[in-house]
Amino acid sequence: MDKNINITLKVWRQKGPKEKGAFETYKLNDVSQGSSFLEMLDVLNEQLIREGKEPVAFDHDCREGICGMCSLYINGHPHGPDSAVTTCQLHMRKFSDGATITVEPWRSAGFPVIRDLMVDRYAYDKIIQAGGFVSVNTGGVPDANAIPISKKDADLAMDAAACIGCGACAAACKNGSAMLFISAKVSQLALLPQGRTEASRRVKAMIAKMDELGFGNCTNTRSCEVECPKEVSISNIARLNREFIVAKLQD
Amino acid sequence: MWLLNSSIGRKLIMSLSGIFLILFLLFHASMNVAAVFSEEAYNAICGFLGANWYAVAGTLVLAAGFMIHIVYAIWLTLQNRRARGRKRYAVNVRPKGVEWASQNMFVLGLIVLCFLGLHFTQFWYKMMFAELTGHHEVELGGAIVSAHDGAAFIRYYFSNIIVVALYLVWYAALWFHLTHGFWSALQTVGWNNTVWLKRWQVIANIFATLICAAFAFVTVFFYLESIL
Amino acid sequence: MTPINSKTPKGPLAEKWKNYKDHQKLVNPANKRRLDIIVVGTGLAGASAAASLAEMGFNVLNFCIQDSPRRAHSIAAQGGINAAKNYQNDGDSVYRLFYDTIKGGDYRAREANVYRLAEVSNSIIDQCVAQGVPFAREYGGLLDNRSFGGAQVSRTFYARGQTGQQLLLGAYSALSRQIGLGKVKLYKRHEMVDVVKVDGRARGIIARNLTSGRLERFAAHAVVVATGGYVNTFFLSTNAMGSNGSAAWQCYKKGAYFANPCYVQIHPTCIPVHGEFQSKLTLMSESLRNDGRIWVPARKEDAEAIRAGKLRPTQIKEENRDYYLERRYPAFGNLVPRDVASRAAKERCDAGFGVGNTGLAVYLDFSDAINRLGRNVVEQRYGNLFQMYEKIVDENPYKTPMMIFPALHYAMGGLWVDYELMTSVPGLFAIGEANFSDHGANRLGASALMQGLADGYFVLPYTIQNYLADQIQVPRFSSDLPEFVEAEKQIQDRIDRLMKVRGKRSVDSIHKELGHIMWEHIGMARNADGLKEAVRLLGELKKEFWSNVRIPGDSADLNIELEKALRLADFIEIGELMAHDSLNREESCGGHFREEYQTPEGEALRQDDRFSYVSCWEYQGDDKDPVMLKEELDYEFVVRQQRNYKN
């Protein structure tokens, strides 16, 4: 049963990208275990505002685990210790009375800190802009049922497409690699006939962009898939490798 | 060239050189096991791998394989550290499902490499290298033995408990390195999916265990022989 | 009073859109390059419009408040998107989709708009499939459908429980392609704080850079607002934390009519409120009503025992359960439209049959479906929703029935637009949830995605050309024009005023109070006295806000409290307008239920003779009441009836 707990928070505070940051410690009493982690931070901010201090900045929006805006590295895990959830779906019942909770921003060269726990993940958008699409304009497309697609492929594509672009994969990776993110998009589109047509162009462009942005090289530790809130599988990375190698060999 | 300037290309080289070294290990382990059953056979192989042009060529290819694997490991590791950024997490937890070895491949590789140095000074330097420099007999623990008498080398070194212990540590590091390296290499060439991932991991564990057990068996066998 | 002209084309219903397209003015490719369009918002409507306009050759400036266009709240839509494909051979057609939508909206939408929506719905599915949206498929490889509320055919296309996500990512990828090509310039973490008019036309916006806190000016030939709805006025809703009505509200203050603000949708299947700390409500997809059965205990003593924690729902025998939707609406059963289902739940809870520790919940039970189909099938269909529920509530819905309660979800009202989706300010367009156009007084499930994408892909890119065709001679504007300077100064003054208050209360605490007032008086059931009380309370709250809010930090810097405060200032005013509109509309229709106007069985009672119009509110100034103009709704093609989901 949910009860109220007292916790100690160690939160990373950093005024700006260039400034030095440090941990601040806050005590929070009577936190309902039924509340979500972000609701707990709301309570903390309410308390800080009452004390005349600046609230902790953190990204969040939908609070139902789909927009991918929330981040936070909680007690050594992106999106906290629960599995298959984002931080906004993490509930305080995962923590016990008297716990000390350390909250850090995503740390990866690709994700510079903007303020406190907020980071800039625009690099992921840039990778999509490099090729994560099917080049069709609006209108003039065939009927939706013109090309049958096997249920298996459609389901696999959907598994990959479940990625929310939150950045947990790169944040979890000791190499700062964005391969899981890219592989999800490459897989989704490579599995569908609509995306197949420009599959090799896409994979080359996206990998080139990823390298240009300075993300690391995958060493298959699997931290990304374990921490991924949508449980995107590293079998997508294998497919990405395959697609890329074949595309390059065809050149 | 995409093999050099793309991340997957570099990873591919890492993976192919790794697979090549794994095959070499398989050969080396089989050869060692031969020594247990017949020292003559073992010495015959040693002789065959002496200062012949094909053995030297093979050694050069092997050395190249090692060098590529090592250079790329350093290169990739440096890149990855840069990609990680200068700021580190205060709390680090290895999530469930992540092998310890997978996160420590560079360190494990380094340990393997250091022992390789020891191994070289003990064996290769006094065998193939000695022959190449024109010495057909070398001094070993006060005795003069033929550079082809591999069995003598084994008997000599593996009678020393410290050397044996060091070698066993080496095999352990190698075991960890292989359990991850094996399936990771196949993942990198793209030969993987959700079903095969589990299969490869099992195969990797069996394979690494077999190779390391073979090496350890030979080492322990000769040590026991020396004290019994 | 000038009569409001909706510019609906003449002719038979099915030919209007075709006729319009055949005769509208177009802009040739060379001229498109010379025209700039601002699109505010990157949800389904905004992203699809920005991408489509850029593909055609226009220069697009696109704004979003989040860190990436992919975060827009369209992403959270779960259930599906309607289209009249009739792939299931169950008798669907464009007309039937049109009719269901008009009827579902309680005959308060514009016929021509709704017909156009139904007409282009099929193209949307084609477009999305071509983009690589992984819709659910049958084993034969063709697309699968499910049913949704308010329809007797299966016309809803879906991608697991994440249809909105997949459609948005489709539009986002099209948008990303144009950003990569340089045809769209993206401004992320930028919030529109004003629209700028030059010579009576919308010519640009002022946006606040949320990272630096600076105000920035942007000029263009036309402005498109795709900023979603305003139901966060209620504080607790299924909308994202950042969803707000401010962009639309600024348009209103610059002369765009605000239409039907009283029409907001209360979604019947949300996870019930749980405590004071709650920041938002989580929706459980309407698709769950396909297989879940809704009930409360039939005996009051059972309900009381459940509330006291002495009885578990599984212990209640079949004959002691009241499947009230099946009882009251045999023809549609659990699949009645949202407004009907929500009110029925409220009715049961008000009568003392509610469950959960607050008594404000009803059961959504899958035990029948699990027995009939097996757990596997249920898991396949709804697994992710069940998992989500369990994470939040800490109860296993495979074993214990889910608890649900209605929550604020969608705004049918919004900026008034004509047939071309242009507001009453020339050059200012509104699309998606931000406009009022297609859903009347109540939106059917799976129609929001349809409307957002219809507007963005297939309607606005045409109609905006009819406006822009006259603008090709107009050179690019400088954002240094006095109009821009003045607009920026006004915003700056407002920000300074807010920062100077230095009161005691946080923005959220005032917002929560606003939410309570709204829910209490302008919620699921409204009456004249309550609405008058709401007007009074909102007036007081406004004073409280402007005299007692506390915003730490600096205004010319990243300042989240300031962002929230600027939005809250507008929410309070939106609440006031909702109250005015609700008071004015003395009838019950769709999402607007006036207790004074109901049938003896408690169904909504429309007053077609008096209120068959769109209420268009015109801003008169901060201290004056707004003026209401009417757009009469002439039903040429459909015969209006009392909505009936019983037989």
Side-chain angles (χ1 to χ4, degrees):
Chain A
M1 265 314 274
D2 291 345
K3 52 179 199 246
N4 285 4
I5 54 172
N6 299 335
I7 52 170
T8 307
L9 284 164
K10 275 178 71 187
V11 181
W12 183 261
R13 304 297 306 259
Q14 182 176 341
K15 188 80 180 144
K18 299 250 156 60
E19 271 151 280
K20 221 168 123 56
F23 282 104
E24 292 263 350
T25 305
Y26 306 102
K27 295 242 182 251
L28 215 52
N29 293 339
D30 281 328
V31 177
S32 162
Q33 284 189 311
S35 66
S36 72
F37 195 84
L38 295 185
E39 284 165 350
M40 179 275 292
L41 286 182
D42 290 343
V43 174
L44 169 69
N45 278 345
E46 189 76 35
Q47 186 176 307
L48 289 175
I49 293 166
R50 263 204 312 274
E51 292 167 5
K53 295 179 186 152
E54 274 204 48
V56 179
F58 59 91
D59 271 323
H60 64 103
D61 200 23
C62 78
R63 296 214 177 180
E64 49 185 284
I66 194 75
C67 75
M69 186 113 174
C70 63
S71 51
L72 305 193
Y73 198 83
I74 304 160
N75 280 353
H77 296 278
H79 295 302
D82 201 356
S83 62
V85 294
T86 54
T87 294
C88 64
Q89 294 172 298
L90 173 69
H91 276 67
M92 292 309 292
R93 62 179 75 93
K94 287 277 156 192
F95 302 92
S96 44
D97 197 24
T100 298
I101 306 171
T102 309
V103 192
E104 304 174 67
W106 279 178
R107 295 219 184 276
S108 186
F111 298 152
V113 171
I114 297 173
R115 155 124 8 134
D116 297 343
L117 304 170
M118 233 179 212
V119 297
D120 183 0
R121 288 168 287 191
Y122 195 58
Y124 270 18
D125 294 281
K126 285 187 189 157
I127 293 171
I128 297 290
Q129 286 156 18
F133 45 74
V134 178
S135 300
V136 287
N137 285 354
T138 303
V141 297
D143 184 84
N145 259 348
I147 310 171
I149 300 171
S150 83
K151 184 167 164 36
K152 188 173 154 246
D153 284 343
D155 284 349
L156 277 175
M158 181 61 221
D159 288 342
C163 166
I164 55 174
C166 65
C169 44
C173 180
K174 74 175 186 67
N175 307 322
S177 164
M179 289 277 274
L180 191 67
F181 169 74
I182 293 154
S183 72
K185 187 48 76 183
V186 165
S187 285
Q188 178 206 339
L189 296 177
L191 281 160
L192 301 171
Q194 288 81 8
R196 199 61 251 175
T197 320
E198 55 183 327
S200 61
R201 179 169 170 259
R202 174 183 311 115
V203 70
K204 286 185 285 187
M206 288 179 80
I207 291 294
K209 186 49 110 181
M210 173 190 93
D211 289 343
E212 179 196 319
L213 291 167
F215 283 101
N217 308 286
C218 172
T219 63
N220 306 320
T221 68
R222 304 180 72 189
S223 304
C224 53
E225 86 173 341
V226 175
E227 299 288 13
C228 173
K230 297 294 155 188
E231 300 182 304
V232 174
S233 159
I234 61 156
S235 62
N236 292 305
I237 297 184
R239 187 178 291 105
L240 169 67
N241 292 334
R242 208 151 64 220
E243 290 284 334
F244 182 79
I245 292 166
V246 170
K248 282 294 182 185
L249 289 177
Q250 275 169 353
D251 283 348
Chain B
M1 177 63 180
W2 65 279
L3 284 173
L4 298 171
N5 52 26
S6 76
S7 56
I8 296 183
R10 288 188 292 267
K11 285 284 304 158
L12 184 65
I13 289 183
M14 199 63 194
S15 125
L16 293 177
S17 57
I19 291 172
F20 170 68
L21 296 178
I22 286 173
L23 292 176
F24 164 71
L25 282 175
L26 183 64
F27 162 74
H28 197 328
S30 326
M31 167 179 143
N32 288 11
V33 172
V36 174
F37 298 104
S38 156
E39 293 188 4
E40 288 74 37
Y42 182 70
N43 282 350
I45 303 173
C46 290
F48 176 69
L49 293 180
N52 311 304
W53 68 267
Y54 44 84
V56 173
T59 307
L60 286 175
V61 171
L62 189 61
F66 268 108
M67 285 317 290
I68 290 173
H69 201 69
I70 293 161
V71 168
Y72 268 72
I74 295 169
W75 188 10
L76 288 170
T77 304
L78 287 176
Q79 277 195 328
N80 290 347
R81 285 187 66 83
R82 199 174 331 125
R84 193 80 186 85
R86 229 172 281 148
K87 276 269 181 294
R88 295 295 149 132
Y89 289 117
V91 182
N92 285 290
V93 181
R94 181 160 57 85
K96 224 189 275 171
V98 174
E99 307 156 19
W100 175 81
S102 72
Q103 294 189 318
N104 296 285
M105 286 298 275
F106 188 73
V107 176
L108 288 167
L110 219 55
I111 296 173
V112 171
L113 186 65
C114 290
F115 281 106
L116 199 63
L118 173 73
H119 183 57
F120 263 36
T121 53
Q122 289 179 335
F123 289 84
W124 179 80
Y125 178 73
K126 292 185 178 165
M127 296 172 78
M128 185 192 267
F129 186 75
E131 261 195 293
L132 287 175
T133 49
H135 306 283
H136 292 284
E137 288 186 330
V138 286
E139 189 263 324
L140 192 65
I144 300 293
V145 298
S146 154
H148 282 177
D149 192 359
F153 280 79
I154 295 181
R155 271 200 309 274
Y156 171 69
Y157 284 119
F158 292 168
S159 63
N160 181 336
I161 182 71
I162 294 168
V163 174
V164 168
L166 286 174
Y167 270 76
L168 289 178
V169 171
W170 184 23
Y171 303 149
L174 188 64
W175 184 85
F176 279 110
H177 198 79
L178 287 181
T179 50
H180 177 69
F182 186 96
W183 76 261
S184 177
L186 290 154
Q187 163 88 3
T188 300
V189 289
W191 189 0
N192 210 347
N193 56 36
T194 41
V195 179
W196 271 96
L197 175 62
K198 292 188 197 90
R199 291 181 188 167
W200 283 133
Q201 285 185 322
V202 171
I203 296 171
N205 285 341
I206 295 173
F207 185 79
T209 311
L210 274 180
I211 287 196
C212 295
F215 280 128
F217 168 66
V218 176
T219 310
V220 174
F221 178 87
F222 280 96
Y223 176 68
L224 291 177
E225 208 185 47
S226 73
I227 57 170
L228 291 175
Chain C
M1 194 200 297
T2 35
I4 289 186
N5 180 6
S6 67
K7 292 199 237 158
T8 303
K10 297 274 169 278
L13 188 58
E15 316 240 313
K16 285 179 192 285
W17 179 230
K18 186 180 173 300
N19 284 345
Y20 176 88
K21 287 194 289 185
D22 287 347
H23 298 104
Q24 70 162 125
K25 287 179 273 187
L26 295 174
V27 180
N28 85 18
N31 285 329
K32 281 179 184 144
R33 283 197 291 276
R34 297 213 295 252
L35 295 170
D36 302 335
I37 303 173
I38 285 173
V39 179
V40 187
T42 59
L44 285 175
S48 58
S52 303
L53 291 169
E55 285 162 9
M56 294 166 122
F58 294 106
N59 296 305
V60 179
L61 293 83
N62 194 196
F63 295 79
C64 68
I65 58 173
Q66 297 92 344
D67 69 336
S68 158
R70 67 183 292 156
R71 315 271 188 229
H73 199 56
S74 304
I75 203 152
Q78 297 168 351
I81 177 166
N82 286 331
K85 283 282 196 188
N86 192 30
Y87 283 158
Q88 305 304 321
N89 195 30
D90 53 6
D92 201 6
S93 64
V94 168
Y95 184 83
R96 202 175 278 276
L97 174 55
F98 153 75
Y99 181 79
D100 286 346
T101 309
I102 280 275
K103 177 186 171 195
D106 222 350
Y107 307 99
R108 288 291 176 263
R110 205 185 277 150
E111 278 179 321
N113 281 53
V114 180
Y115 196 88
R116 176 177 65 189
L117 173 67
E119 230 179 316
V120 301
S121 67
N122 291 341
S123 310
I124 296 171
I125 304 300
D126 298 342
Q127 186 65 33
C128 294
V129 168
Q131 287 170 345
V133 170
F135 281 121
R137 287 179 183 267
E138 311 262 17
Y139 281 104
L142 302 183
L143 292 163
D144 191 18
N145 290 110
R146 54 166 61 142
S147 346
F148 252 58
Q152 288 175 312
V153 293
S154 285
R155 61 160 72 101
T156 305
F157 294 80
Y158 66 100
R160 295 215 182 118
Q162 292 130 276
T163 318
Q165 180 199 23
Q166 293 312 314
L167 297 178
L168 182 66
L169 292 183
Y172 161 77
S173 64
L175 173 64
S176 294
R177 177 170 157 242
Q178 296 304 316
I179 296 171
L181 293 170
K183 288 302 292 177
V184 175
K185 179 100 180 66
L186 177 75
Y187 296 89
K188 65 202 160 63
R189 294 195 197 262
H190 272 67
E191 179 159 13
M192 166 179 159
V193 284
D194 206 357
V195 57
V196 182
K197 287 201 312 192
V198 179
D199 297 333
R201 292 172 189 267
R203 291 300 194 196
I205 63 166
I206 306 291
R208 186 164 176 272
N209 180 331
L210 299 181
T211 317
S212 71
R214 300 238 158 70
L215 294 175
E216 296 171 11
R217 306 172 198 164
F218 300 91
H221 292 88
V223 176
V224 180
V225 172
T227 50
Y230 49 85
V231 295
N232 265 350
T233 309
F234 287 74
F235 187 70
L236 284 183
S237 82
T238 64
N239 280 16
M241 303 304 286
S243 303
N244 68 81
S246 289
W249 198 246
Q250 303 319 320
C251 297
Y252 164 72
K253 286 192 162 179
K254 284 288 163 88
Y257 305 146
F258 208 100
N260 296 334
C262 76
Y263 295 155
V264 288
Q265 177 163 79
I266 300 189
H267 195 293
T269 50
C270 298
I271 298 177
V273 179
H274 178 131
E276 254 314 295
F277 49 79
Q278 190 127 10
S279 60
K280 79 153 272 163
L281 295 170
T282 303
L283 178 82
M284 290 277 109
S285 165
E286 176 158 321
S287 63
L288 291 169
R289 288 200 272 146
N290 267 304
D291 290 307
R293 296 177 70 196
I294 295 176
W295 63 275
V296 291
R299 300 187 305 186
K300 239 182 208 162
E301 58 269 29
D302 288 347
E304 279 157 14
I306 286 179
R307 289 202 289 272
K310 290 179 197 148
L311 201 60
R312 298 198 45 77
T314 39
Q315 293 168 313
I316 298 193
K317 290 208 191 78
E318 196 59 33
E319 61 268 28
N320 292 328
R321 298 178 176 191
D322 176 14
Y323 296 92
Y324 57 88
L325 286 178
E326 296 169 28
R327 168 170 60 79
R328 285 177 67 178
Y329 308 101
F332 281 69
N334 292 298
L335 281 174
V336 290
R338 292 175 175 175
D339 55 333
V340 178
S342 291
R343 267 198 303 279
K346 179 174 159 42
E347 187 273 330
R348 281 294 82 191
C349 293
D350 287 351
F353 294 92
V355 296
N357 46 12
T358 54
L360 291 176
V362 299
Y363 289 124
L364 176 61
D365 196 334
F366 285 85
S367 50
D368 266 9
I370 292 171
N371 290 338
R372 178 164 44 91
L373 306 162
R375 190 185 147 132
N376 276 350
V377 176
V378 172
E379 194 170 341
Q380 228 174 24
R381 286 187 191 163
Y382 311 112
N384 61 331
L385 297 169
F386 278 39
Q387 183 224 18
M388 185 157 101
Y389 181 86
E390 193 172 351
K391 292 276 182 196
I392 295 174
V393 184
D394 206 20
E395 269 185 351
N396 180 351
Y398 293 100
K399 293 193 176 129
T400 345
M402 279 184 186
M403 280 191 291
I404 53 165
F405 198 67
L408 263 295
H409 182 54
Y410 185 87
M412 280 76 70
L415 289 171
W416 179 87
V417 289
D418 59 21
Y419 189 73
E420 297 182 317
L421 304 182
M422 187 156 80
T423 66
S424 46
V425 173
L428 179 63
F429 294 77
I431 56 176
E433 190 182 350
N435 74 26
F436 88 106
S437 70
D438 297 352
H439 305 298
N442 172 55
R443 177 174 69 73
L444 288 183
S447 285
L449 302 184
M450 173 171 69
Q451 185 227 338
L453 289 179
D455 286 0
Y457 282 134
F458 297 110
V459 181
L460 179 88
Y462 284 91
T463 58
I464 201 171
Q465 292 189 60
N466 208 30
Y467 171 78
L468 288 172
D470 300 334
Q471 304 291 312
I472 50 178
Q473 303 294 343
V474 180
R476 290 212 158 89
F477 291 88
S478 156
S479 60
D480 294 331
L481 290 174
E483 286 86 349
F484 281 88
V485 177
E486 176 56 24
E488 186 185 322
K489 188 180 168 296
Q490 277 185 14
I491 297 297
Q492 193 55 55
D493 290 349
R494 188 176 162 87
I495 291 173
D496 292 344
R497 223 180 111 201
L498 268 174
M499 296 301 293
K500 268 191 215 125
V501 176
R502 296 189 196 284
K504 291 207 167 61
R505 294 183 63 182
S506 72
V507 179
D508 278 356
S509 74
I510 301 175
H511 198 165
K512 279 183 186 175
E513 198 177 324
L514 171 64
H516 284 304
I517 299 171
M518 297 298 295
W519 181 251
E520 198 58 40
H521 300 292
I522 320 180
M524 250 188 289
R526 305 161 177 175
N527 61 55
D529 291 343
L531 290 166
K532 283 177 196 149
E533 174 69 1
V535 173
R536 190 183 67 77
L537 290 171
L538 289 171
E540 281 176 13
L541 190 70
K542 196 170 173 177
K543 280 202 204 91
E544 168 76 1
F545 173 78
W546 283 99
S547 60
N548 202 16
V549 72
R550 170 179 215 139
I551 305 167
D554 193 356
S555 68
D557 190 7
L558 190 156
N559 190 332
I560 292 161
E561 291 302 303
L562 176 60
E563 289 166 28
K564 290 197 287 193
L566 284 167
R567 293 168 196 161
L568 179 56
D570 294 333
F571 278 136
I572 298 175
E573 295 178 12
I574 293 172
E576 287 180 320
L577 192 67
M578 285 178 71
H580 284 303
D581 192 39
S582 305
L583 260 176
N584 170 69
R585 192 165 282 276
E586 293 173 333
E587 65 163 349
S588 294
C589 60
H592 171 66
F593 191 78
R594 283 282 298 262
E595 286 166 341
E596 303 95 316
Y597 305 93
Q598 51 181 312
T599 66
E601 302 91 51
E603 306 296 339
L605 194 60
R606 283 197 329 266
Q607 309 283 318
D608 287 342
D609 48 337
R610 293 171 58 211
F611 290 98
S612 177
Y613 62 75
V614 177
S615 330
C616 309
W617 296 88
E618 189 181 29
Y619 179 72
Q620 304 292 320
D622 271 338
D623 350 305
K624 293 193 200 117
D625 280 341
V627 166
M628 195 202 56
L629 311 170
K630 295 177 186 176
E631 181 202 333
E632 293 293 340
L633 291 169
D634 307 316
Y635 273 69
E636 279 183 77
F637 305 98
V638 169
V639 182
R640 277 175 286 194
Q641 295 160 337
Q642 188 68 39
R643 271 199 307 170
N644 175 0
Y645 293 99
K646 292 177 191 292
N647 39 48

